[in-house]
Amino acid sequence: MGQPHGVGIVGLGNISRQYLEALEGHPGIRIVAVADLSAERAAEVAAQTGAVAVGVDELVAHPGVETVLNLTIPAVHAEIAHAAISAGKAVYGEKPLALDVAEGEAMVAAARAAGVAIGSAPDTVLGTGIQTARRAIDDGRIGRPLAASATMITPGHERWHPNPDFYYQPGGGPMLDMGPYYVSALVTLLGPVVAVGGAASRIRDTRVIGSGPRAGETIPVAVDTHVTGILEHEGGAISTIVTSFDGTATTASPLEVHGTEGTLLVPDPNRFDGDVVLHRTGETAETLAVSAGYADGARGVGLVDFVATPSDVEARAGGAMALHVLDIMTGVLRAAETGARVALTTTTERPAAVPLTARSDWHS
């Protein structure tokens, strides 16, 4: 196997715990260095992982760091990525890739010029839920895909997140925060998108934090909090997507894919697993056996896949996919603002399918 791949983590907020749980003990990954605005938090994680707690500049320059795992807030994704790329390091970040397409294009171009890889969450689409659905589509179980719908409705993250401010600032909102899971799934299932339409609204300009030491504090809202998009896929299918921080709940399937011969009910793309149910005309609904994807997946499996991908191959959770997903989401927001159909400027190949892979295999 050779030496473990050295990873430096920048940003040790809520999501970092899930990455640490997936990566700790992985024989192919070694957490070399960590950095955070909180020196105390960095010291705690360093003690837990055997890494060193350093500043960002020291982390990206550390000779043992081969890939920078960027778990910062969206507003500084580009800054950290460029620092890592300038130091000759690969970079894999949390979603979204950047605040806008121009920023994302600059990141991808810089990585290409430096000869280093760039990738981005979400990696949930590599789990058994979305990948089993993809295999059913690829095997022709629903005939020719015609349409899909994606639905995500919640009252907002301020109910549970102790520091939810960034969810309601540029780079946040339901489309850029939660949309990556659903849009990445739609592209994985149905291929790239050529144009989008959209509509959006905002029901209030402030939110109240519901938990943690800042409970009761009012924060401003600077983004639309209910967004609906129409996605025109290159292959001819048309998807609709609803993302909202303004509703209460929904009984709609997170994802449905409709074809000429059947419909697939697809599990929540914010999860790695879940049942895929096939409905075909005149037949009893069938829950499909798990047939593809990383079994028992967890946040971080995309990084494992990323570092294992040969340098001359685009990673499944690579920059091209992340940039196209960003283009789709910001295109929907632009369409909502202008009332016009927006043609996209990026595209991507459907990422390679993931064969069914037991946790013992992806974690070895």
Side-chain angles (χ1 to χ4, degrees):
M1 177 184 293
Q3 294 298 313
H5 188 92
V7 172
I9 304 176
V10 181
L12 301 171
N14 277 5
I15 196 65
S16 68
R17 291 194 294 270
Q18 297 182 50
Y19 279 87
L20 290 169
E21 288 173 3
L23 298 178
E24 280 189 281
H26 192 292
I29 301 287
R30 177 178 170 234
I31 300 172
V32 174
V34 296
D36 191 79
L37 291 174
S38 168
E40 180 181 0
R41 185 159 52 197
E44 289 175 357
V45 174
Q48 172 189 340
T49 60
V52 295
V54 294
V56 173
D57 291 343
E58 293 90 347
L59 185 145
V60 297
H62 194 294
V65 172
E66 300 170 80
T67 295
V68 173
L69 175 56
N70 184 6
L71 304 183
T72 57
I73 63 174
V76 291
H77 282 183
E79 177 186 345
I80 301 300
H82 281 293
I85 292 165
S86 295
K89 309 302 171 83
V91 60
Y92 180 94
E94 253 304 315
K95 47 74 186 171
L97 177 67
L99 293 183
D100 57 47
V101 172
E103 194 173 77
E105 286 177 331
M107 292 162 61
V108 171
R112 184 181 302 114
V116 299
I118 185 169
S120 176
D123 54 4
T124 47
V125 294
L126 307 182
T128 54
I130 301 302
Q131 291 293 320
T132 294
R134 172 178 174 159
R135 179 163 181 179
I137 292 170
D138 291 351
D139 287 349
R141 300 293 300 277
I142 64 168
R144 181 167 66 88
L146 302 173
S149 61
T151 307
M152 192 292 303
I153 295 176
T154 75
H157 293 347
E158 73 277 8
R159 295 170 300 121
W160 57 269
H161 198 291
N163 295 291
D165 311 59
F166 70 93
Y167 290 118
Y168 297 100
Q169 296 301 312
M175 179 56 76
L176 287 179
D177 175 57
M178 296 300 292
Y181 300 107
Y182 295 81
V183 175
S184 295
L186 289 170
V187 173
T188 296
L189 297 173
L190 298 176
V193 173
V194 295
V196 298
S201 63
R202 184 186 320 175
I203 62 171
R204 54 188 184 275
D205 294 325
T206 60
R207 298 268 172 154
V208 178
I209 299 176
S211 65
R214 297 173 62 198
E217 181 180 332
T218 298
I219 59 173
V221 175
V223 294
D224 285 329
T225 48
H226 185 98
V227 183
T228 298
I230 300 172
L231 282 53
E232 302 173 26
H233 292 268
E234 183 178 82
I238 297 175
S239 297
T240 57
I241 179 170
V242 177
T243 62
S244 181
F245 287 164
D246 292 340
T248 297
T250 178
T251 58
S253 298
L255 284 170
E256 295 184 1
V257 182
H258 308 284
T260 53
E261 298 176 23
T263 288
L264 280 178
L265 306 186
V266 183
D268 187 347
N270 193 18
R271 294 175 47 189
F272 287 85
D273 57 6
D275 289 339
V276 178
V277 179
L278 172 65
H279 291 260
R280 287 172 60 91
T281 304
E283 299 179 11
T284 302
E286 175 188 359
T287 299
L288 301 183
V290 171
S291 60
Y294 287 109
D296 301 314
R299 281 172 172 80
V301 70
L303 176 64
V304 173
D305 188 273
F306 176 80
V307 302
T309 301
S311 59
D312 60 344
V313 177
E314 176 74 12
R316 291 182 175 97
M321 177 72 162
L323 181 61
H324 187 55
V325 168
L326 179 63
D327 195 13
I328 293 168
M329 296 187 300
T330 56
V332 168
L333 294 173
R334 193 160 69 253
E337 183 178 355
T338 63
R341 175 180 180 270
V342 172
L344 302 186
T345 60
T346 68
T347 190
T348 188
E349 299 291 331
R350 286 174 85 203
V354 181
L356 184 58
T357 307
R359 184 181 177 89
S360 58
D361 291 326
W362 72 259
H363 211 267
S364 64

